[in-house]
Amino acid sequence: MSVLQRPVVIGTRDSALALWQTNWVMARLKELFPEQAFEVKAIKTKGDKILDVALAKIGDKGLFTKELEVSMLEGEIDMAVHSLKDLPTVLPEGLTIGAMCVREDCRDILISRHGGLDALPQGARVGTASLRRKAQIWQVRPDLELLDIRGNLQTRLRKMEEQNLDGLILAAAGVIRLGWAEKISQYIPVDMCLPAVGQGSIGIEIREGDDEIAKIVGALNHHETSVSIRAERALMRTLEGGCQVPIGSLGRLQEGRLVLDGIVASLDGKHVARGREEGDPSQPEEVGIRLAEQLLQQGAREILNVVRQETELQ
């Protein structure tokens, strides 16, 4: 491939995790394209600036992505590196996903001085910013007081100490990437808490029609990760769910088949639509749509309508 006569500019949020992910992407690209120059441009997003309001209340249409997308459409950056779970399932016109990078551990984890979820005392106070986690964890521990806690990983860990919380529930991938795996008390099983759509993967967004950048970025696409998450995103898109609704999903390849699990839950975890679909890995979107239809038949639409009304009222 011919080398571009200018640096390729990689856009990112400016949090420690976002910069780790971007530096990981840049290191891989430099290995693959040693003659090409790359540089990083850090940009603050709306989600980084509003830290005193629960995510579900501010809405989620591009909360952590819009400013990066505007920069890309204006030609200031060539690609944007995201936690794939933050990337809306419908992208702005003119943009597309150029690569879904190999998935890190997709589970949620608990950090607690008490040990695992079973060891938490009755009525323990646990921090999480996610409606999806709250809804599923309350199914197994309805006694827990699950509190909104926002900010980057360092901020959340500090708040846990300051507020004397009994625990913190986070995505495993970010904790592992920042080198804090020893802090993890429990990896929460996916049959107890299905992850967010795309959780654990880094997504690279590019301009449609930018063939030179597409060739560079496409080298980092991981087939199994991409197939699995395309199914998860199709499920979410069909349910018209955003990042801040209690939808969990996980796709994976098993014996040549694509297996997709999904859940939609009420905020208190008492009303649940849960299902599984299998299908051809070459048609992941079809598998996602079929599972969404299965969940809709179980009342997922009604559950989500109530969730939206409740989050607007809070």
Side-chain angles (χ1 to χ4, degrees):
M1 196 195 87
S2 59
V3 175
L4 299 186
Q5 299 307 305
R6 60 171 181 82
V8 171
V9 184
I10 306 173
T12 176
R13 293 166 59 195
D14 64 355
S15 72
L17 178 58
L19 290 167
W20 185 99
Q21 293 178 162
T22 300
N23 287 327
W24 181 90
V25 166
M26 187 163 68
R28 301 289 84 71
L29 290 176
K30 282 181 173 177
E31 288 171 4
L32 294 166
F33 306 101
E35 305 298 314
Q36 178 63 56
F38 295 92
E39 63 182 49
V40 171
K41 181 179 173 73
I43 297 168
K44 261 208 187 315
T45 66
K46 182 180 179 182
D48 295 312
K49 295 171 187 171
I50 306 174
L51 293 177
D52 56 348
V53 181
L55 287 176
K57 295 180 190 174
I58 10 177
D60 59 0
K61 296 296 183 197
L63 196 57
F64 294 107
T65 60
K66 185 177 179 183
E67 287 81 356
L68 290 162
E69 291 171 335
V70 169
S71 290
M72 200 157 21
L73 290 169
E74 291 179 349
E76 295 172 1
I77 61 175
D78 294 301
M79 65 183 83
V81 175
H82 305 285
S83 291
L84 197 42
K85 67 184 175 68
D86 292 335
L87 204 52
T89 55
V90 178
L91 300 182
E93 192 172 342
L95 299 178
T96 187
I97 296 176
M100 300 186 193
C101 303
V102 62
R103 201 171 207 167
E104 179 52 88
D105 194 316
C106 67
R107 290 174 293 180
D108 291 313
I109 58 96
L110 174 70
I111 295 175
S112 171
R113 62 180 180 274
H114 301 287
L117 277 170
D118 290 348
L120 289 172
Q122 191 77 8
R125 298 164 67 246
V126 178
T128 175
S130 162
L131 298 181
R132 170 191 61 81
R133 292 182 187 127
K134 288 181 181 179
Q136 294 184 85
I137 295 300
W138 268 329
Q139 285 190 288
V140 291
R141 285 295 305 265
D143 60 293
L144 296 181
E145 186 180 351
L146 299 178
L147 306 167
D148 286 320
I149 189 163
R150 291 278 322 281
N152 60 39
L153 282 174
Q154 293 94 324
T155 302
R156 292 190 210 187
L157 286 165
R158 191 190 74 240
K159 286 180 177 177
M160 181 173 80
E161 298 300 324
E162 290 173 355
Q163 299 174 29
N164 197 29
L165 301 181
D166 294 292
L168 200 55
I169 300 175
L170 302 161
V175 178
I176 293 168
R177 285 174 177 146
L178 288 180
W180 296 340
E182 78 281 354
K183 295 181 183 290
I184 296 172
S185 308
Q186 180 185 7
Y187 288 85
I188 301 172
V190 294
D191 57 3
M192 181 184 294
C193 191
L194 275 174
V197 166
Q199 184 162 310
S201 176
I202 298 168
I204 308 176
E205 193 177 13
I206 60 172
R207 286 181 292 271
E208 280 183 334
D210 192 338
D211 294 340
E212 290 176 313
I213 297 298
K215 284 176 186 168
I216 292 171
V217 167
L220 293 186
N221 193 60
H222 183 255
H223 175 70
E224 181 171 352
T225 298
S226 175
V227 167
S228 301
I229 294 176
R230 281 169 58 195
E232 295 167 19
R233 287 173 65 83
L235 165 75
M236 173 91 90
R237 195 161 46 239
T238 307
L239 292 172
E240 298 174 2
C243 306
Q244 311 316 328
V245 293
I247 296 174
S249 183
L250 179 61
R252 58 252 184 242
L253 296 182
Q254 290 182 348
E255 298 176 353
R257 301 277 287 170
L258 171 59
V259 180
L260 182 66
D261 286 303
I263 186 171
V264 176
S266 62
L267 292 184
D268 59 7
K270 291 179 180 173
H271 303 282
V272 172
R274 183 193 289 269
R276 171 177 288 186
E277 273 290 338
E278 294 187 23
D280 187 336
S282 68
Q283 298 175 312
E285 284 80 10
E286 284 191 13
V287 177
I289 291 167
R290 283 205 311 273
L291 180 54
E293 289 168 347
Q294 186 190 138
L295 298 180
L296 289 169
Q297 288 172 357
Q298 295 180 38
R301 174 83 66 232
E302 292 75 14
I303 292 171
L304 291 174
N305 285 341
V306 170
V307 167
R308 290 189 182 101
Q309 289 166 8
E310 288 177 347
T311 51
E312 284 170 10
L313 291 172
Q314 286 176 3

